[in-house]
Amino acid sequence: MQHQKISRPDRPNTLTSPVWTVNVGPAPQTDCLSGTHEVDVLVIGGGIAGTTTALHLAEKGVSVILVEAQQFGDGATGQSGGIVAPDYIRHSPETIGAVLGEPAGERLTGMIGGSGQHLFDLIDRQGIECDARQDGFYTPSHTEALAEQQRGYAAQWRSRGYNVSFVEGAEARPLFGANRYCGALRFEDGGGLNPLAFVRGLARAAQRNGARLYTNSPVSRLERKDGYWLCRTPIGTVRAQRLVLAANGGNAALHPAMQRTSLPLHVFQFASFPLDPAQRKVILPDGGGFTDKLPYLFTARLDGLGHLISAFPMSFMVNGDKGYYREARRRLKQHFDVMPDPQIAHLWRGLAWVNTSFLPEIYDLGDNAIAIQACNGRGIATNTVIGSEVATMLATGDRDALSVRPRAPVPVRFHAGAALLPRLLMSMAYLTN
Ligand SMILES: Cc1cc2nc3c(=O)[nH]c(=O)nc-3n(C[C@H](O)[C@H](O)[C@H](O)COP(=O)(O)OP(=O)(O)OC[C@H]3O[C@@H](n4cnc5c(N)ncnc54)[C@H](O)[C@@H]3O)c2cc1C
């Protein structure tokens, strides 16, 4: 008997737009900046960091203008996986003390531990429709040694009042539908959302509160003149007393002190076709999302339409559109037995910027200017809080409003070479996967 290969007519084989564009309302109405404007605070960048800063400033009655080079969410925010992860990337509540000192470490732990709840409360308060689901975030353990360490991390978070537990192997595997793991750290306050819908909702809320937002307005020149910040876009000018750089990797082109302070991490993010009922029963049946700790890390979550969303880092080993689709299918097949022939509906490229500390950073640039620095591939929840704290600090003048102590920017040494490191490390990780 001859088997006919069934192919989906709409199966793409080149890069697509992010899956988030499928299930999102229209972008807020905005103009491009034209003419001359005066304002107290100018925010540059319309991702999560910039829009939350503008929203909270406007709520506090501060006059604020935000300029975005393209559209809201066109940077890392709209390219992201939308996982709400109230956890450190490389630290725990106790190990961070050795890096920052105890009071600063505890302060940052409070911010990160509370960031999931903060974000979901904000979504509720502003009535933002963004497929938000507070159904947990997991860090699975792939070795018993990591499981043991994570049992300790769960206790550290719990002793500080956060809803974090360790799920043992036999209970953890059915939560994911993947057999690779021997347990998982569970953050009850985490979850997921449509990041494009979220940032558009934040922008709309900022406008409602009186912030002036402009899109398609790339800042081409920023200078200090007569005690003010003067910002030029192709057909507009803003004169501001204070400045917030929230352009992520774009900060480097805006202020000389920001040059060479972060490293690019290229990621391919993808979404399967909506899972069928049998797959749905097995893969993340209770929802939630996870990111593991393997060097060639794996991440997964479901959106409200049943797409399975995952990612792989760019390496020198996987090339060309066909190769990217092949790799996306391999990753799903490798993790989920119930997906012997995964089909990919969306696959897009993203650019995350990382600090060498892997911690959220705020840079003090002097002259009433600060920068919210790099996203570390983990900024959905933390940058939402940072935006709100920066706004409080600017409205009240109280630097203690910030959980991240601002410091002077420091360029990464041997930056040109270091910028290749993430891709090189991911190539080595690919080979061991
Ligand atoms: C592929 C990928 C997956 C990710 N997945 C997750 C995840 O699942 N969970 C998580 O927590 N985090 C994730 N992240 C990280 C997360 O997306 C970021 O931390 C967060 O969105 C950063 O927000 P931001 O506002 O700082 O930066 P951005 O969203 O990058 O916003 C910066 C904005 O500044 C604008 N801009 C730049 N230059 C200029 C200029 N000269 N003039 C005007 N505007 C300018 C850009 O157009 C952009 O819109 C991911 C990132 C990537 C790339």
Side-chain angles (χ1 to χ4, degrees):
M1 197 172 95
Q2 244 192 346
H3 285 281
Q4 222 183 347
K5 201 166 174 202
I6 300 168
S7 65
R8 296 186 193 233
D10 52 350
R11 202 174 78 180
N13 53 19
T14 54
L15 296 188
T16 67
S17 51
V19 68
W20 315 122
T21 55
V22 173
N23 190 20
V24 69
Q29 285 279 332
T30 45
D31 294 322
C32 112
L33 183 90
S34 64
T36 304
H37 302 257
E38 297 263 340
V39 75
D40 181 352
V41 181
L42 170 66
V43 177
I44 303 178
I48 287 176
T51 51
T52 40
T53 305
L55 163 61
H56 292 285
L57 281 169
E59 275 186 329
K60 293 173 200 310
V62 177
S63 111
V64 54
I65 286 181
L66 180 152
V67 287
E68 160 56 42
Q70 305 172 71
Q71 292 295 319
F72 303 114
D74 274 359
T77 297
Q79 300 160 352
S80 78
I83 291 183
V84 177
D87 186 17
Y88 283 105
I89 298 174
R90 292 264 167 104
H91 289 284
S92 79
E94 277 174 18
T95 63
I96 194 66
V99 180
L100 300 179
E102 203 171 304
E106 288 299 331
R107 187 72 203 273
L108 186 61
T109 293
M111 189 275 261
I112 290 179
S115 62
Q117 194 58 47
H118 173 102
L119 171 143
F120 288 110
D121 286 347
L122 177 65
I123 288 171
D124 269 358
R125 205 166 59 247
Q126 296 296 342
I128 298 175
E129 284 188 21
C130 59
D131 190 22
R133 42 195 72 227
Q134 193 170 15
D135 49 7
F137 167 69
Y138 299 85
T139 310
S141 355
H142 55 278
T143 62
E144 188 43 49
L146 179 60
E148 189 49 30
Q149 188 184 52
Q150 289 181 327
R151 285 183 194 101
Y153 286 1
Q156 292 173 22
W157 282 108
R158 259 200 321 276
S159 71
R160 288 162 176 81
Y162 297 99
N163 210 343
V164 181
S165 55
F166 185 81
V167 188
E168 296 294 341
E171 286 166 66
R173 282 186 285 274
L175 289 174
F176 307 133
N179 290 325
R180 292 191 110 173
Y181 304 115
C182 51
L185 200 54
R186 173 180 165 87
F187 295 81
E188 299 275 346
D189 292 346
L193 46 65
N194 176 330
L196 182 60
F198 178 46
V199 75
R200 286 185 180 181
L202 290 170
R204 224 173 259 117
Q207 284 177 323
R208 264 200 317 271
N209 282 277
R212 288 174 279 165
L213 270 47
Y214 299 94
T215 51
N216 292 322
S217 306
V219 174
S220 49
R221 196 178 163 140
L222 191 60
E223 60 186 320
R224 196 75 188 139
K225 206 164 178 199
D226 305 329
Y228 289 89
W229 284 101
L230 198 63
C231 153
R232 293 181 205 281
T233 63
I235 56 166
T237 305
V238 183
R239 200 168 83 127
Q241 291 184 353
R242 299 183 283 174
L243 176 68
V244 178
L245 299 188
N248 202 353
N251 286 346
L254 293 168
H255 193 290
M258 294 301 295
Q259 286 169 17
R260 302 187 301 281
T261 54
S262 58
L263 301 173
L265 175 65
H266 296 269
V267 179
F268 288 99
Q269 193 77 44
F270 59 91
S272 71
F273 280 91
L275 299 189
D276 65 34
Q279 292 167 334
R280 191 68 196 80
K281 242 186 183 164
V282 174
I283 298 175
L284 294 163
D286 300 333
F290 68 88
T291 302
D292 70 18
K293 293 271 185 197
L294 279 152
Y296 193 61
L297 62 81
F298 185 73
T299 177
R301 63 168 286 237
L302 291 164
D303 72 1
L305 299 177
H307 299 104
L308 180 61
I309 292 142
S310 184
F312 60 90
M314 187 188 275
S315 68
F316 293 110
M317 314 308 293
V318 179
N319 291 301
D321 288 356
K322 273 193 185 158
Y324 305 143
Y325 276 89
R326 204 178 308 122
E327 178 62 358
R329 286 196 296 273
R330 185 186 76 87
R331 296 232 83 189
L332 293 186
K333 209 168 147 177
Q334 182 185 38
H335 284 80
F336 301 111
D337 293 346
V338 73
M339 290 188 98
D341 182 24
Q343 299 297 328
I344 309 301
H346 297 259
L347 194 154
W348 65 99
R349 193 191 291 257
L351 178 54
W353 292 88
V354 293
N355 297 318
T356 48
S357 66
F358 284 97
L359 292 170
E361 302 273 10
I362 296 178
Y363 287 150
D364 186 344
L365 304 174
D367 296 324
N368 289 324
I370 58 167
I372 299 172
Q373 161 73 354
C375 68
N376 292 319
R378 241 334 150 72
I380 300 278
T382 47
N383 280 8
T384 304
V385 185
I386 287 176
S388 122
E389 292 185 349
V390 163
T392 303
M393 187 271 285
L394 290 172
T396 61
D398 180 6
R399 284 208 155 206
D400 285 344
L402 300 175
S403 304
V404 177
R405 232 181 347 206
R407 62 186 183 95
V410 182
V412 177
R413 285 202 285 165
F414 309 113
H415 187 266
L420 289 174
L421 263 185
R423 202 161 163 193
L424 203 61
L425 291 172
M426 289 309 140
S427 302
M428 287 161 66
Y430 171 89
L431 292 172
T432 60
N433 186 250

